[in-house]
Amino acid sequence: MFRILFYRPEIPPNTGNAIRLAANTGCELHLVEPLGFTLEDKQLRRAGLDYHDLARVRVHADLPSAWQALLPAKVYAFSASATRRYTDVAYEPGDVLLFGPESAGLPADVQHAPEITDRLRLPMLPTSRSLNLANTAAITLYEAWRQNGFATA
């Protein structure tokens, strides 16, 4: 299955929703510290409902630790400044979908790291700054899963 990687997430309900997404799709959720909350945060637990025990969630101390656990794999970095659309990729099981913190998105050095296969974006109105993190992860994951026939569903 696919793997979602949140780099330094800040808002507990977004990660809670991603936990629920992971539990319902069979994907893995990887989180890179520092987190803007604890995994015991009430808002995170409420957003994840009772799916915490059904989701595969791993926390990594830093990005190199995440790379060690996830590579080799294709890593798609999502950014509002990317020029290629998320639908222009042929996703394969094991691919990593990388998203940045809610306040600033992925830093340039992460977007252009050698581990990154490609930078992708979701289309939106030109007057918009960004989409919600959990929504973006869900849209992208479901596209990847759709391309693979919703395997295991």
Side-chain angles (χ1 to χ4, degrees), residues 83-150:
T83 57
R84 194 161 181 217
R85 289 184 181 176
Y86 78 107
T87 52
D88 294 338
V89 172
Y91 298 97
E92 299 173 4
D95 287 352
V96 177
L97 311 174
L98 170 61
F99 304 90
E102 293 90 339
S103 66
L106 283 173
D109 63 321
V110 175
Q111 288 187 43
H112 298 285
E115 295 82 2
I116 303 300
T117 303
D118 205 348
R119 294 173 60 240
L120 304 174
R121 66 176 314 212
L122 275 71
M124 59 185 164
L125 296 175
T127 55
S128 297
R129 184 177 62 84
S130 66
L131 290 168
N132 172 276
L133 175 62
N135 291 342
T136 302
I139 291 166
T140 305
L141 176 65
Y142 267 86
E143 172 61 16
W145 200 19
R146 181 197 66 79
Q147 287 183 15
N148 286 267
F150 296 107

Side-chain angles (χ1 to χ4, degrees), residues 4-6 9-22 25 27 29 31 44 47-48 78 97-103 122 130-142:
I4 296 172
L5 176 58
F6 280 1
E10 300 164 332
I11 300 174
N14 280 328
T15 299
N17 286 330
I19 288 170
R20 190 187 316 187
L21 177 67
T25 61
C27 76
L29 176 62
L31 308 172
L44 178 132
F78 289 82
L97 311 174
L98 170 61
F99 304 90
E102 293 90 339
S103 66
L122 275 71
S130 66
L131 290 168
N132 172 276
L133 175 62
N135 291 342
T136 302
I139 291 166
T140 305
L141 176 65
Y142 267 86

